[in-house]
Amino acid sequence: MVNARGGDGDNNGSSLPRAPDPLHQPQGLRTIRAVRPSERQRMRMRLLGSVDEDRRDVEVLLTALQQAVAEVHGLGGMVHLPGGGMSGILYLVADSGLPESMTRPWLIIPARGTAPPSRAARSDTVTWRPDLAPPDPVPGRDPAALWPSRLPAGIGHLAVPVPGGGGRRGALSVLFAPGAEPGAAEHAFLNEVAAWMSGRLRSSGILNPSPTLLHALASGPEPREAPPRDGDGLPSRTYTWDLRTGELTSDGPVEEVLGGVDPEVMYGGIEAWAALIHPDDLPAVVAGFDRGIQQRGGFQSEYRIRRQDGTYLWIEACARTITDEDGEPVKVIGTVRDSSETHTAAESVGRALRHMSDGFVSLDTDWRIGFLNEAAERLFGSAGDVAGALLWDVPEVRAVPGLEQRCRATAAEGRPAGFDVPWPDGTSWYHLRLVPVPEGLTLYITDTTERHLREVERADAERAAAERAALVQRITRELAEAVTAQDVIAAVADGVLTPLGATGLVMLGVVGDRLTVVGSRGHSQRFARLLDGRWTVRDTTNPVGDALRTRTPLHIASPEEFLRRYPGAEPLVREGGEQAWAVLPLAVSGRGIGAAVICFGRPRVLDDDERTLLTALSGLIAQALERAGLYDEATTRARTLQRSLLPQALPELPEVTVAARYQPAKQGADVGGDWYDVIPLSAARVALVIGDVMGHGMAEAATMGGLRTAVRTLSELELPPDEILGHLNDIVGELGTDAFVTCLYGIYDPVTRQLSYASAGQPPPAVARPDGTVTFLPMTPDPPLGAATPPFETLETLLPADSLLALYSDGLVESKDRDVTTGMNRLAELLLQSVHAMPAAPADASDLDALCATITSALLPAHGALTDDAALLLARIHPLAAENVAEWPLPEDPVAAGKARDLVRAQLTDWGLADEDLIMTTELLVSELVGNVIRHAYGPIRLRMLRSRALICEVSDASLTTPHIRHTSATDEDGRGLQLISALCRRWGTRHTRTGKSIWTEQALPAASVDS
């Protein structure tokens, strides 16, 4: 290293560099232009850029250091770079402006020390220390002992990193006067100079040590009474090897440190020393020295030398090449110490590490591999291939994703840590444990593949157990919620087939001694029909009977096994096409109720867990199927009751064409209370009824049946709608305070086309007219029956011919997702669409029946989601033509009977009803009715004849007296007229009107006598 002082400098420890005197302005120059700092820095960098390329590295560094110190107004500066052969050491390679007493402690410093140059080089950051202090010691050197006395306090020390190759860095440092702290501009300039230094260093990266280092190492330490000791406390000797003469010298007797070595060996020169080296170690030692000398750097080696008694001891030698002013090597200066004890221990540890089962890798501070044992070689490659390489450059390490980041993060924490990683081979797992040590890190690698596999197997087993438990729990819940046999089949198919990889399911039930198919999944209808009733319970020649006999699940792994055990089942095996089967017997309370057959599309052997699962499921399935059977029986009874309470068939009447739909809210025994009815009345009139008993269940269904019967009975009394609702209200009121019923009762008269109706809580009927309009009949419905207070209001409306009348319950138009108004508007839209899509006067009810299906499917939610019963009654009305109606007034005189007979004969003849028996019977009936009025009532008297579904004769008067048939004796002279009327006609009765009453009769018409 070249010293900028131009000489050895002052060795006085109190000497300090003096700041240069200010420049005096030369005479003859009047002014000097001030230069801004930024321009001055650029000028200095241009000066550095003009340095010749052939200048030696030392000269380049010294020039850059002088410019840096001058620009930042420092007291002096130093440049430290890493050695070529000794890792973890920084050497002083250039200094400027500092006396030798100050540079001596800084000749060799540890790279992992706390001094600013060490921290800057290691951390690649600018480091500042406000109080100058000695650097950390290195083996054989204690800088604190060399520290000059009487230094002023407060000298600042700033260091910036000098980038190098392979992640190895040096440091440029500058000392500042007390109180002078550099700013951002000084930091930036020093970084720029350090970067320039790095770019100009020769490719070898090896620099010559300074004359100060040469002088210090050549002079050796001060005389001591005992040999100096290295950093480990072991005695050592410093030696000098003159490369020109081969002479060896030391700072004391070498035998004091290396016991048993020939004391005269140093006098024999390097040849004598080489003769003592163990033949096995000599080639490596020579190669190390040659490499260190050629590279002009430091080197370290450990080898064996022979004692006088012929035995060998281990020594550790550290050395540094010294060059002259021209860079030519002239000396090697180093230290030697006895390392036998250390080497013996190291050999023992090394052998243990070398052959230990776990991998062991020693890494330096730069993550370079220094040592790896046999186990690690099997993972990373041979030591000869990877020693000295960066850990991250090893292909096997690089192939582990994220390993470098995890290792660096662990090392940054400064404490031992470990983690598991998968190896690139895809089958192995290793646990890596990083342990920080002073010289770097150690990496322990433990094969955890078996443990990981056990953990994976345990996790898989736990996951499988959890999945099975969840499967059983899910199927248990679904089976508990299943109400029908089909629900049970769906729950088993959805929960079992996919997890087991099955392709089909057949559920068989015991009916008598036969096994019938309850339902199936994944099989054709042909196969189900073939299996239905084929086997008997006690027949053990089939798998189901065999399983029911033993009460044990049966597993058949292949068709060959199936046919070997049950040869008679070949047609079923051939037709089904399955390859494996699991037959689960279903038994409740010791009684076999059926079997569940799970089929597989390929040969299959069930493991123990799957068999245990199916055994557990068979009991759950059996209980669910038993409940479903009871439910189905109750449902059948409820449906039978419900069908019996509703009209079995609607009447076919010429006055109206009707169709109806009823949809209960729920499946099962909870039948609803909605009903509808069409009741033929006198004078060709028709009563249309719809009602709703609030609630669900047998009690509500029974109430509905009773009310429907009451409505038909009251209709026979020819009461108007308001009076019928009044009587129904009394009936409902007697059922209790919690009974409520809504009802709409309407009477359509085809002669007048009038609809008279009254409502108790029902929504208004809708009318679709032939002109394409749809309206809802105006009304303010009374409260429901049971809560209403009579009288009820009767309304009347005139309906156009062939109008479509829709009566419905609130369940049709109202739901949890739709209010009544929205539902009524939707109903109106559907009726409007039907006006032009259907014939005006259909010959039968088929079109209306299809319309009912369309409306209910459009208005009602999906099956099972209905929350209230829904009833719909559609009626297309047809008026009675005028030619089928005849009416006359009669005098209040006995001759009225004869006149009535003449009118009847003439009208029947006019209608083409010329059958004499019919004419004579009708004349007799009318004569008796008129005579009864003349005798027991009063006028005015009118006669009306209607030709409709029957021949209807009516005699009206102003009296409110209702005639009754009397039981007469043989001596009574009267009272037989009504008996005669009852005998001659199909039915008869009395209907009260606003002006009195009408007594009517109905007679059957001859076939094809009525104009449809």
Side-chain angles (χ1 to χ4, degrees):
M1 185 190 78
V2 177
N3 190 293
R5 294 182 298 274
D8 293 339
D10 187 2
N11 292 332
N12 191 344
S14 63
S15 300
L16 286 174
R18 298 177 56 191
D21 293 335
L23 292 174
H24 296 283
Q25 180 178 350
Q27 296 183 2
L29 296 177
R30 292 178 295 178
T31 60
I32 295 180
R33 181 174 62 87
V35 180
R36 292 192 298 271
S38 59
E39 294 181 359
R40 187 173 61 250
Q41 291 176 5
R42 286 196 294 271
M43 292 173 60
R44 292 186 185 278
M45 294 307 301
R46 284 198 294 270
L47 288 175
L48 293 178
S50 64
V51 175
D52 294 337
E53 295 292 338
D54 58 353
R55 295 287 295 276
R56 292 185 302 158
D57 288 339
V58 172
E59 296 173 347
V60 169
L61 293 178
L62 182 59
T63 301
L65 180 61
Q66 292 171 342
Q67 292 292 337
V69 172
E71 176 60 30
V72 301
H73 304 293
L75 299 176
M78 299 176 288
V79 176
H80 287 82
L81 292 178
M86 300 182 66
S87 61
I89 297 297
L90 295 177
Y91 292 94
L92 179 66
V93 296
D95 68 89
S96 175
L98 300 176
E100 183 179 353
S101 60
M102 289 192 66
T103 58
R104 183 180 295 274
W106 297 94
L107 295 178
I108 303 175
I109 62 175
R112 301 185 66 85
T114 59
S118 301
R119 294 176 58 189
R122 182 176 68 255
S123 304
D124 195 22
T125 57
V126 177
T127 304
W128 165 254
R129 175 178 286 177
D131 292 310
L132 183 66
D136 298 278
V138 295
R141 294 186 62 82
D142 184 7
L146 304 175
W147 196 249
S149 60
R150 298 191 303 277
L151 275 179
I155 296 177
H157 192 177
L158 177 70
V160 298
V162 177
R168 307 180 69 184
R169 291 176 293 270
L172 162 65
S173 59
V174 178
L175 303 183
F176 289 86
E181 181 174 351
E186 287 78 5
H187 290 189
F189 179 71
L190 292 179
N191 276 320
E192 189 174 4
V193 172
W196 183 86
M197 286 182 178
S198 176
R200 284 299 305 269
L201 291 179
R202 294 179 180 177
S203 60
S204 66
I206 304 300
L207 299 176
N208 298 322
S210 66
T212 305
L213 175 63
L214 178 62
H215 182 270
L217 294 179
S219 300
E222 296 294 330
R224 298 180 182 178
E225 295 181 358
R229 295 180 178 270
D230 61 10
D232 296 329
L234 298 177
S236 63
R237 285 296 181 200
T238 299
Y239 70 90
T240 301
W241 172 22
D242 192 323
L243 297 178
R244 293 191 177 99
T245 64
E247 180 183 4
L248 281 177
T249 59
S250 65
D251 59 352
V254 70
E255 65 272 14
E256 294 182 4
V257 175
L258 307 178
V261 175
D262 183 1
E264 305 297 328
V265 67
M266 301 300 289
Y267 300 110
I270 192 65
E271 290 81 3
W273 184 267
L276 296 180
I277 299 176
H278 194 286
D280 294 341
D281 299 338
L282 183 61
V285 174
V286 173
F289 271 85
D290 288 344
R291 185 167 55 253
I293 294 171
Q294 292 174 5
Q295 295 179 353
R296 277 67 163 173
F299 48 94
Q300 181 177 1
S301 61
E302 188 175 19
Y303 53 91
R304 291 165 289 180
I305 62 172
R306 188 176 64 253
R307 297 188 182 97
Q308 288 180 301
D309 60 2
T311 62
Y312 286 87
L313 62 84
W314 282 92
I315 69 169
E316 182 181 281
C318 301
R320 180 78 179 177
T321 303
I322 307 301
T323 60
D324 59 13
E325 294 290 335
D326 297 327
E328 294 299 325
V330 293
K331 292 183 179 180
V332 173
I333 300 177
T335 61
V336 292
R337 69 179 181 89
D338 186 350
S339 63
S340 298
E341 183 177 351
T342 304
H343 189 271
T344 301
E347 275 189 334
S348 176
V349 174
R351 284 192 298 271
L353 291 176
R354 184 68 182 169
H355 301 289
M356 66 186 295
S357 59
D358 291 346
F360 177 84
V361 181
S362 175
L363 303 169
D364 64 12
T365 56
D366 294 325
W367 296 95
R368 294 185 180 276
I369 298 175
F371 170 81
L372 69 167
N373 66 356
E374 293 178 352
E377 287 183 6
R378 288 192 292 269
L379 297 176
F380 294 166
S382 65
D385 295 334
V386 300
L390 282 174
L391 180 64
W392 325 122
D393 292 339
V394 177
E396 288 76 6
V397 176
R398 190 168 57 246
V400 179
L403 179 58
E404 179 179 355
Q405 291 78 5
R406 297 184 69 176
C407 287
R408 290 187 182 276
T410 301
E413 296 177 358
R415 58 177 181 268
F419 47 85
D420 289 347
V421 295
W423 213 244
D425 60 8
T427 60
S428 304
W429 280 79
Y430 290 90
H431 179 78
L432 307 185
R433 180 171 174 80
L434 286 169
V435 180
V437 295
E439 297 81 12
L441 298 99
T442 56
L443 175 62
Y444 297 88
I445 308 171
T446 304
D447 189 346
T448 59
T449 303
E450 292 187 6
R451 187 191 70 189
H452 182 76
L453 291 177
R454 288 195 301 270
E455 292 176 353
V456 171
E457 292 174 356
R458 183 171 61 253
D460 290 343
E462 292 175 353
R463 182 171 59 254
E467 290 175 353
R468 287 194 300 272
L471 175 63
V472 172
Q473 184 178 12
R474 184 175 69 253
I475 296 177
T476 301
R477 182 178 63 253
E478 293 177 355
L479 290 176
E481 296 173 353
V483 294
T484 67
Q486 296 306 314
D487 293 340
V488 174
I489 295 173
V492 176
D494 296 341
V496 175
L497 296 189
T498 300
L500 293 181
T503 57
L505 169 69
V506 179
M507 196 77 72
L508 300 171
V510 176
V511 178
D513 64 342
R514 288 283 172 182
L515 292 167
T516 61
V517 175
V518 178
S520 64
R521 287 286 185 89
H523 291 281
S524 64
Q525 291 296 326
R526 173 184 171 85
F527 178 79
R529 288 193 300 268
L530 181 64
L531 184 60
D532 191 25
R534 182 184 184 92
W535 292 331
T536 61
V537 177
R538 295 178 178 84
D539 183 10
T540 58
T541 61
N542 66 80
V544 176
D546 198 3
L548 284 173
R549 178 182 60 82
T550 61
R551 297 289 194 270
T552 303
L554 185 64
H555 308 100
I556 304 174
S558 66
E560 293 76 16
E561 181 183 353
F562 195 113
L563 296 178
R564 184 174 64 252
R565 299 174 65 175
Y566 310 104
E570 181 179 358
L572 292 175
V573 175
R574 184 175 58 254
E575 179 67 28
E578 305 295 347
Q579 300 295 308
W581 299 262
V583 182
L584 309 182
L586 306 180
V588 177
S589 301
R591 175 175 53 89
I593 64 169
V597 182
I598 301 173
C599 309
F600 301 88
R602 58 182 178 82
R604 179 82 149 78
V605 177
L606 300 178
D607 58 29
D608 293 339
D609 291 337
E610 292 171 332
R611 292 170 182 255
T612 302
L613 173 64
L614 292 179
T615 302
L617 289 179
S618 62
L620 298 175
I621 297 171
Q623 296 175 8
L625 194 62
E626 175 74 0
R627 291 194 303 269
L630 298 175
Y631 181 86
D632 289 340
E633 292 179 5
T635 299
T636 302
R637 290 194 298 268
R639 291 285 180 255
T640 302
L641 172 63
Q642 191 173 46
R643 284 194 298 269
S644 66
L645 295 177
L646 289 172
Q648 300 302 305
L650 295 176
E652 297 182 5
L653 304 173
E655 296 82 15
V656 291
T657 304
V658 292
R661 276 289 187 280
Y662 171 74
Q663 179 64 52
K666 300 179 180 178
Q667 295 181 346
D670 284 340
V671 294
D674 287 20
W675 90 93
Y676 56 86
D677 213 342
V678 178
I679 306 172
L681 301 178
S682 64
R685 297 173 306 142
V686 180
L688 303 173
V689 189
I690 193 163
D692 181 8
V693 178
M694 296 183 183
H696 300 88
M698 289 294 198
E700 285 74 12
T703 301
M704 178 266 284
L707 291 177
R708 178 169 174 260
T709 302
V711 169
R712 296 189 72 89
T713 301
L714 293 172
S715 298
E716 292 292 332
L717 299 178
E718 302 285 355
L719 298 178
D722 57 331
E723 293 187 25
I724 288 182
L725 291 186
H727 289 294
L728 291 178
N729 186 67
D730 295 338
I731 296 173
V732 174
E734 294 176 356
L735 298 177
T737 57
D738 57 348
F740 297 98
V741 179
T742 61
C743 183
L744 185 142
Y745 186 93
I747 298 176
Y748 170 64
D749 189 344
V751 177
T752 61
R753 292 187 286 111
Q754 287 280 350
L755 176 67
S756 302
Y757 58 95
S759 175
Q762 279 291 123
V767 179
R769 293 175 170 81
D771 61 1
T773 60
V774 177
T775 59
F776 292 92
L777 295 182
M779 69 177 187
T780 303
D782 291 302
L785 302 177
T789 302
F792 293 89
E793 181 183 12
T794 297
L795 301 174
E796 293 185 350
T797 185
L798 182 64
L799 298 178
D802 297 324
S803 294
L804 181 61
L805 185 65
L807 281 65
Y808 53 93
S809 64
D810 58 352
L812 182 71
V813 294
E814 184 181 19
S815 67
K816 62 181 181 180
D817 301 322
R818 181 182 61 211
D819 57 27
V820 174
T821 303
T822 303
M824 291 172 61
N825 292 336
R826 178 58 177 153
L827 173 62
E829 293 176 1
L830 296 171
L831 291 174
L832 184 61
Q833 295 171 6
S834 69
V835 171
H836 302 293
M838 293 177 57
D844 53 42
S846 59
D847 292 327
L848 281 185
D849 192 69
L851 179 59
C852 279
T854 300
I855 292 175
T856 53
S857 62
L859 290 177
L860 298 181
H863 185 62
L866 191 61
T867 58
D868 192 11
D869 301 338
L872 172 64
L873 176 62
L874 295 181
R876 187 177 294 279
I877 62 171
H878 310 295
L880 192 60
E883 62 269 16
N884 292 325
V885 180
E887 186 174 5
W888 307 274
L890 296 176
E892 296 184 48
D893 189 272
V895 299
K899 184 177 181 180
R901 287 192 294 271
D902 295 338
L903 293 172
V904 166
R905 179 174 288 275
Q907 187 61 49
L908 292 177
T909 302
D910 185 53
W911 281 344
L913 300 175
D915 182 74
E916 190 60 28
D917 291 339
L918 178 61
I919 293 175
M920 291 179 62
T921 301
T922 306
E923 287 178 341
L924 181 56
L925 289 173
V926 171
S927 178
E928 285 294 331
L929 292 176
V930 172
N932 192 60
V933 171
I934 295 296
R935 185 173 180 179
H936 300 289
Y938 51 88
I941 305 173
R942 297 188 66 84
L943 171 63
R944 188 171 70 158
M945 297 180 66
L946 305 177
R947 184 177 61 162
S948 179
R949 59 179 178 268
L951 178 61
I952 302 170
C953 297
E954 291 183 348
V955 176
S956 304
D957 59 53
S959 172
L960 297 178
T961 303
T962 301
H964 297 284
I965 297 178
R966 292 188 302 157
H967 293 283
T968 60
S969 64
T971 59
D972 290 339
E973 295 182 359
D974 56 7
R976 295 180 175 84
L978 292 180
Q979 294 180 2
L980 180 63
I981 291 173
S982 178
L984 293 177
C985 65
R986 186 166 61 187
R987 64 177 188 146
W988 70 280
T990 302
R991 180 178 70 255
H992 290 275
T993 65
R994 295 187 181 93
T995 59
K997 69 175 182 298
S998 294
I999 304 175
W1000 53 269
T1001 64
E1002 282 189 8
Q1003 298 169 264
L1005 290 173
S1009 63
V1010 180
D1011 185 2
S1012 59

